[in-house]
Amino acid sequence: MVVPNCQAAFAMLRQIEPIIVLEQLGSTLFDTALQMVVRDRCVNATDPGHSSEDAQQKAMTDFYMINNLIIQLTPILPALFLARLSDSGRRKAPIVSPLTGYLLSRLILLLVVVLKLPLQVMFAAGTLLGLSGGFTAYWPGVMTLASLGSTAADRSKVLMRVEFMYGLAGVVGSLVSGHLFHLYSSSLGHGTILLIISTLLHLLCLLHSIFLLQVKGVSNGEPEEDRHLLLHASTNAPVVEAPVEINRVNVALLFVAAILYDFAVGGAIEVLGAFVLKAPLSWNATLVGYGNAAGCVIFLSSYLGVIGFRRCCSDTSLILIGMVSFAVGIYFMSFVTTTLTYYLARALTLFALIPMTTIRSLLSQQVPASSCGMTLTLLQLALKFASLTYIPAFTKIYQGTLDWFPGFVFTLASIFTVLGMIPISIIGCRSPQRRQYEKI
């Protein structure tokens, strides 16, 4: 009995799941560390005509604006190259390359803290991460390996387990990150131990992907669509026959809805990290970790929401439910003044991650199978270029409204979300889906 159990444990160790858990644990520790390091480095910022706190907020948001633009844009070409490598049979490429970038970026932040290097060094870290493919290449690579390691009948369950483990690891990592940040010794400053653990987790993750990760080969009899990297259909979705021609009107409406919603979500999250560090919230590292955990809980609740609502709702209804959830919650965030009301606002956004996944699923039903990969790729590129607008726009609007209404950007995000609901409603009116979901 011992030998079979050991073999089963070793077989599990060679799957993609351990990498998902290790990477997400390391990333959540890094996110909290970066947020607190940026706050501490910007504490002495000055800006004529503004209070010291407003000057600190401006310095923090300026840093995140530049850093996030780098991280959003630099992975585009490397991710496409890694996708091509994966489709040609090198399935580990979109995993190993981004994990190398993650490890280097975590190591650079550790050096910034230990050696007291300028914060701007992190721009180089973001560039290295982007050139390695970043999350843009990593996550589709993960989903591809998970798909190839399962049968067609079990694929949706496997992908559901992958996403659930990703969210759960994020919750655990975020909850402990703030406590680890406060660990202190006479020779190490705050955050050093947290970053050492994060770096070690990413090192272990990279070594696992190189030496232990098992990749299933693609047989010649496997359907062609299973070979492609950019496959984002939502799990548990009913099988819908691909159309012969592209439904151009629906595709255009879905693109508009996705861009507007991504504009709203991305813009709000862009400033949320700085918002919780200013008065009246003035969070410390522990509360920052708890807040990040709340964001990961939304990942889990959105996924469970898809499973629960899909039996009685069409795709367009699912998208609208998620958009309403985010619009109401982020509008409430505009008036948050205490930690309790922050969590209430977060609770209202429990289904905020449903729309983008469902939009991709619905988009794949509007084009022939041969055009599905390219259509989803074009959508991803459109969202990337949209970040060129919303990242600086929301940052500057937040900086300009600090004195009279810091939460104005969240109200603005709510408005853009409502605008994004319009094209989805039009699609629902143009092509109502059959009530096939009731039969599942």
Side-chain angles (χ1 to χ4, degrees):
M1 290 295 293
V2 176
V3 174
N5 288 337
C6 291
Q7 290 177 342
F10 183 71
M12 179 60 68
L13 192 63
R14 301 194 67 187
Q15 302 303 310
I16 191 64
E17 285 83 353
I19 290 179
I20 295 169
V21 172
L22 289 172
E23 189 282 326
Q24 180 64 347
L25 285 174
S27 289
T28 51
L29 300 184
F30 172 83
D31 291 341
T32 298
L34 179 62
Q35 197 168 346
M36 301 311 298
V37 169
V38 171
R39 183 202 65 175
D40 294 342
R41 292 297 181 89
C42 296
V43 70
N44 294 323
T46 58
D47 188 23
H50 294 84
S51 65
S52 59
E53 184 180 57
D54 286 355
Q56 181 188 22
Q57 286 281 303
K58 185 177 184 300
M60 291 174 58
T61 50
D62 280 342
F63 168 82
Y64 276 114
M65 177 180 67
I66 298 173
N67 192 57
N68 289 339
L69 282 173
I70 293 172
I71 293 175
Q72 287 285 337
L73 296 179
T74 52
I76 294 176
L77 292 179
L80 292 174
F81 174 72
L82 291 170
R84 182 175 292 273
L85 282 180
S86 176
D87 288 343
S88 67
R90 296 177 176 87
R91 297 295 182 184
K92 282 190 178 183
I95 306 293
V96 174
S97 179
L99 288 178
T100 303
Y102 278 124
L103 175 61
L104 291 175
S105 65
R106 277 51 175 164
L107 181 60
I108 290 175
L109 181 57
L110 177 60
L111 294 176
V112 166
V113 172
V114 174
L115 302 179
K116 303 293 191 295
L117 299 177
L119 187 61
Q120 287 71 21
V121 173
M122 290 307 299
F123 297 151
T127 302
L128 288 174
L129 177 59
L131 292 176
S132 71
F135 190 81
T136 306
Y138 168 74
W139 191 245
V142 165
M143 299 303 281
T144 298
L145 289 188
S147 297
L148 294 176
S150 61
T151 63
D154 295 334
R155 189 153 298 166
S156 64
K157 295 179 181 179
V158 171
L159 296 182
M160 180 175 68
R161 184 175 73 244
V162 166
E163 296 196 13
F164 189 84
M165 291 178 66
Y166 179 84
L168 187 60
V171 173
V172 174
S174 296
L175 288 175
V176 303
S177 62
H179 299 284
L180 291 175
F181 182 85
H182 288 302
L183 292 180
Y184 182 84
S185 68
S186 57
S187 59
L188 298 175
H190 289 299
T192 306
I193 295 177
L194 174 63
L195 283 168
I196 289 175
I197 296 174
S198 175
T199 304
L200 289 175
L201 285 171
H202 279 94
L203 176 60
L204 184 60
C205 189
L206 177 61
L207 294 175
H208 184 288
S209 67
I210 296 174
F211 298 109
L212 288 179
L213 179 62
Q214 185 178 37
V215 178
K216 175 188 173 184
V218 181
S219 63
N220 293 330
E222 188 173 2
E224 179 67 23
E225 60 267 21
D226 285 348
R227 302 186 185 192
H228 292 289
L229 179 66
L230 297 170
L231 186 64
H232 293 280
S234 62
T235 56
N236 286 349
V239 177
V240 179
E241 185 178 353
V244 177
E245 297 181 355
I246 298 177
N247 189 329
R248 298 184 184 278
V249 176
N250 280 3
V251 168
L253 290 171
L254 287 169
F255 265 69
V256 171
I259 291 172
L260 286 171
Y261 189 65
D262 187 66
F263 195 94
V265 176
I269 299 302
E270 176 69 20
V271 300
L272 188 60
F275 177 79
V276 299
L277 296 177
K278 70 180 292 294
L281 293 180
S282 302
W283 280 5
N284 58 23
T286 302
L287 291 176
V288 166
Y290 292 163
N292 292 340
C296 294
V297 169
I298 293 174
F299 188 95
L300 297 177
S301 60
S302 293
Y303 201 84
L304 294 175
V306 170
I307 298 173
F309 292 134
R310 187 168 290 283
R311 294 184 177 276
C312 57
C313 297
S314 65
D315 280 343
T316 53
S317 298
L318 274 175
I319 296 170
L320 291 174
I321 288 172
M323 287 184 169
V324 168
S325 173
F326 181 76
V328 174
I330 207 65
Y331 178 75
F332 189 71
M333 188 70 73
S334 305
F335 309 99
V336 163
T337 55
T338 64
T339 298
L340 176 61
T341 53
Y342 172 88
Y343 285 118
L344 289 175
R346 275 296 202 178
L348 292 172
T349 64
L350 281 177
F351 304 122
L353 298 183
I354 291 177
M356 291 306 298
T357 300
T358 312
I359 284 175
R360 288 188 176 96
S361 175
L362 189 56
L363 189 60
S364 66
Q365 301 170 22
Q366 311 301 315
V367 297
S370 59
S371 302
C372 183
M374 180 57 67
T375 303
L376 292 174
T377 301
L378 290 175
L379 174 63
Q380 197 63 30
L381 290 176
L383 298 180
K384 286 289 182 182
F385 286 112
S387 67
L388 279 173
T389 303
Y390 72 70
I391 289 178
F394 274 76
T395 298
K396 295 305 179 182
I397 291 172
Y398 176 69
Q399 293 175 353
T401 57
L402 278 170
D403 293 333
W404 59 279
F405 188 16
F408 176 75
V409 288
F410 303 130
T411 300
L412 188 62
S414 180
I415 293 172
F416 274 104
T417 303
V418 173
L419 292 176
M421 295 168 62
I422 296 175
I424 298 300
S425 300
I426 294 175
I427 292 174
C429 294
R430 290 185 73 250
S431 53
Q433 297 178 339
R434 299 181 182 91
R435 298 188 63 82
Q436 52 188 326
Y437 300 91
E438 296 178 354
K439 302 176 182 179
I440 302 175

